[in-house]
Amino acid sequence: MTKPQQRFAPDSLERRKGARHTRFVSTGTVPTTLDGVQVHLSSSEREHLFSVPNEEGPEFRRLRRFGLLLSRYGLVDKNRFIKRKGVSHEHATTAERIVATNAYKTVFGGDPTIGVANVQPLVNMLNSPTPSPSIISACLAYSGTSAGLAILDGIKNKELAEYVRQAMDRVALYSQKYTERIMYHMNREGRRHTRMAFDCYDAIITLVQGNTENITEVIGRSAPDRQPAESSSGRYGKDKLQRRSETQMHGTRRKVGDKHLRHIVPSIDGWAEAILEKMPLVLPHTGRKGRKLIPMPYGKSIRFIVREDTDPEQRVFARKTRSQGGIVIVDCSGSMGFDSSDLDKIMDATAGASVLCYSSGNEPDGGNIWLVARGGRRTSIMPNFPGNNGVDGPALEYGLSLRRHNEPVVWVSDTRVTGRGDHASEPLRDWCLDFCAKHNIHIVRHTEQAATTLRKLQLGQRPEKTNYKAIRGREYL
């Protein structure tokens, strides 16, 4: 008597919450590795799709079990979840595979990657000069498995291997707790359980995204210097006026002590040597651009129940933010002044603002342009400003290169522009005013006015605009 063949049968499970049926259809491909196992769950009347083998053998049985857990604890209508949460498709897919891996260990008591994971392509891409964040995210899907150890052994850059190992340890440690809660809530009926399961998924995605960004930053610091691009791509929004891209402005990179400095190449001569220093952005602030739920310690309804155990402040409530971001370039010379409270005022005015400060006098062993806030995060320690101007033009050009999708750009300055040697220069001042008029940059005199301008722009209102005229042949006012 022959043994009956085992087949992948997710339709035998009870109907998933959020799904209207249990009809599964194969894509026709037969995967032989863990990466090839795919399950797509639809929330409409369309059939669910899967790519899982039905052949016999311990390896194929391992793949079928992994696909069965993907069909049980994966995201229903993943594209809708991605759009609502504002996360990337790569991070959401990584979170699904992390949950399936942890669930496999809980249900079947083993490692799902043994004998079925081909990680050599990932290792080869990690050993390239600049691996992409999607590759790093895919590697984190193997956290806590034998395939993850094989990835670490294959990385040639020892510093990168150490950072990846630490990231995998963190993901494996914290994702196991979230997976247990996902399994608990997805096995129960009710919108409350669905929302809590999605919150746990969001927490895993945030964990993956944070570790991916940290590793990407390490790769960027150790990457070799590259020549500036000859032409600008159209990925910086809908600004019809010709402007230089961020890549075109990058000059040589060097390290002084613990500072990572980068030269900025301006389009005209006459300025002091422009040196960019990116401050460590360790503090979260008002969130990212677009619609976002921000955890709060007070509110009307609980949205982040998992924070009751993980957040020391127990911020389980939420408030909504919606912002188009903004770029703020701040003149930090002696006649202006800028501190941490001023930075908070600007970031409170718009979520996801990018803030650049500039003041010359530290070169050549220190920066004179500082990136102190970007993407909803800000620095905890403000730099010491020497008190000169010197790099007004390069700061304006670099700040404009960071613009995405026609974000508002604000220049906080008294328009007292100086050049090399901190000498006042009327031609350079006229160039800055023409540059601001050409690219619709708002000029304000202090941070309070900058915050007011940003708030009005977020509401679709037109702020009052001061027209600064070029002063030719006259002293500064």
Side-chain angles (χ1 to χ4, degrees):
M1 182 177 179
T2 60
K3 184 178 179 181
Q5 186 178 11
Q6 297 182 8
R7 292 189 177 275
F8 179 75
D11 50 345
S12 62
L13 301 175
E14 63 181 26
R15 182 174 60 86
R16 283 286 312 277
K17 292 180 294 182
R20 298 184 181 182
H21 56 82
T22 58
R23 301 191 305 273
F24 284 80
V25 176
S26 174
T27 60
T29 60
V30 181
T32 57
T33 61
L34 200 66
D35 289 337
V37 177
Q38 304 289 337
V39 176
H40 176 72
L41 302 173
S42 173
S43 62
S44 64
E45 292 296 336
R46 295 180 179 179
E47 287 80 5
H48 309 307
L49 302 177
F50 70 86
S51 176
V52 178
N54 282 323
E55 284 73 14
E56 285 297 317
E59 290 79 10
F60 291 114
R61 187 182 305 114
R62 195 172 291 117
L63 295 177
R64 280 197 298 273
R65 289 176 173 178
F66 187 82
L68 195 67
L69 292 172
L70 276 178
S71 66
R72 182 59 188 161
Y73 299 111
L75 291 168
V76 176
D77 198 355
K78 182 167 60 177
N79 292 332
R80 183 180 178 185
F81 175 87
I82 290 171
K83 184 176 180 180
R84 184 170 67 248
K85 295 293 185 179
V87 298
S88 69
H89 187 276
E90 293 81 5
H91 295 330
T93 302
T94 298
E96 279 188 313
R97 305 188 80 82
I98 289 174
V99 170
T101 299
N102 292 333
Y104 190 101
K105 295 178 181 178
T106 302
V107 176
F108 300 108
D111 185 352
T113 65
I114 297 177
V116 294
N118 181 18
V119 298
Q120 190 58 43
L122 286 177
V123 172
N124 294 337
M125 286 183 282
L126 278 176
N127 287 328
S128 64
T130 55
S132 65
S134 60
I135 299 302
I136 299 171
S137 178
C139 292
L140 294 181
Y142 294 104
S143 301
T145 64
S146 59
L149 297 178
I151 292 175
L152 295 175
D153 292 339
I155 299 177
K156 298 178 181 179
N157 188 333
K158 299 304 180 183
E159 181 183 7
L160 175 60
E162 179 62 22
Y163 275 96
V164 174
R165 183 192 64 79
Q166 294 176 5
M168 285 186 171
D169 291 344
R170 286 190 293 266
V171 171
L173 176 63
Y174 292 105
S175 64
Q176 180 62 42
K177 176 176 59 177
Y178 291 126
T179 300
E180 293 174 358
R181 294 182 179 181
I182 289 173
M183 296 174 66
Y184 174 83
H185 292 298
M186 282 193 173
N187 288 326
R188 283 161 175 76
E189 294 293 334
R191 296 181 62 183
R192 172 177 171 271
H193 291 291
T194 302
R195 185 175 66 251
M196 290 182 176
F198 283 173
D199 287 344
C200 291
Y201 253 114
D202 193 22
I204 295 177
I205 292 173
T206 303
L207 179 66
V208 171
Q209 180 178 352
N211 284 278
T212 301
E213 291 176 352
N214 292 339
I215 297 174
T216 304
E217 183 178 356
V218 173
I219 294 173
R221 290 178 179 177
S222 58
D225 294 328
R226 284 173 285 180
Q227 296 296 328
E230 295 181 359
S231 61
S232 173
S233 62
R235 64 185 181 94
Y236 291 108
K238 301 177 181 179
D239 189 355
K240 296 181 180 180
L241 299 171
Q242 184 179 3
R243 57 191 175 90
R244 308 175 71 202
S245 68
E246 182 181 354
T247 308
Q248 286 176 309
M249 300 199 65
H250 283 170
T252 58
R253 189 201 310 264
R254 58 193 175 89
K255 184 176 181 181
V256 179
D258 58 346
K259 298 179 181 179
H260 294 269
L261 307 178
R262 183 142 209 171
H263 289 260
I264 300 300
V265 183
S267 60
I268 64 172
D269 198 10
W271 306 105
E273 183 183 14
I275 304 174
L276 174 69
E277 179 182 351
K278 294 184 178 180
M279 304 296 292
L281 309 181
V282 298
L283 297 181
H285 211 270
T286 54
R288 301 177 183 272
K289 292 181 290 185
R291 187 177 179 183
K292 184 73 174 180
L293 292 178
I294 306 300
M296 297 291 290
Y298 52 84
K300 293 183 179 180
S301 60
I302 296 176
R303 300 300 299 269
F304 305 106
I305 190 62
V306 295
R307 286 184 172 270
E308 186 176 4
D309 299 331
T310 61
D311 190 345
E313 300 180 11
Q314 295 187 336
R315 295 173 295 181
V316 297
F317 300 96
R319 68 177 179 89
K320 292 181 180 178
T321 64
R322 188 175 185 87
S323 173
Q324 58 178 332
I327 310 293
V328 183
I329 303 109
V330 185
D331 175 4
C332 297
S333 60
S335 61
M336 296 293 295
F338 189 77
D339 55 21
S340 182
S341 61
D342 295 322
L343 178 60
D344 286 330
K345 292 177 184 177
I346 292 175
M347 297 199 68
D348 286 336
T350 176
S354 299
V355 183
L356 278 172
C357 301
Y358 69 90
S359 178
S360 66
N362 283 338
E363 55 277 353
D365 296 330
N368 48 26
I369 302 176
W370 297 269
L371 183 65
V372 297
R374 186 166 175 80
R377 303 185 72 85
R378 53 153 293 180
T379 182
S380 59
I381 302 175
M382 295 295 292
N384 295 321
F385 304 117
N388 302 332
N389 286 66
V391 289
D392 303 80
L396 284 173
E397 285 192 284
Y398 188 79
L400 189 69
S401 72
L402 302 178
R403 174 189 272 180
R404 305 290 191 274
H405 307 294
N406 271 353
E407 291 177 280
V409 182
V410 179
W411 182 28
V412 183
S413 175
D414 55 4
T415 69
R416 295 179 180 269
V417 176
T418 65
R420 189 180 294 114
D422 200 36
H423 297 302
S425 173
E426 292 178 5
L428 292 181
R429 179 182 184 273
D430 295 342
W431 182 91
C432 289
L433 295 179
D434 293 340
F435 185 83
C436 292
K438 179 180 179 181
H439 296 284
N440 195 27
I441 298 176
H442 301 266
I443 306 176
V444 299
R445 288 190 173 273
H446 46 75
T447 54
E448 289 81 3
Q449 189 178 356
T452 303
T453 300
L454 288 170
R455 289 192 183 96
K456 289 184 177 180
L457 291 171
Q458 302 301 321
L459 297 175
Q461 303 174 1
R462 288 188 176 183
E464 296 182 3
K465 211 168 183 181
T466 304
N467 293 323
Y468 292 87
K469 296 183 179 180
I471 305 175
R472 306 183 190 276
R474 294 162 51 190
E475 297 295 330
Y476 285 128
L477 295 178

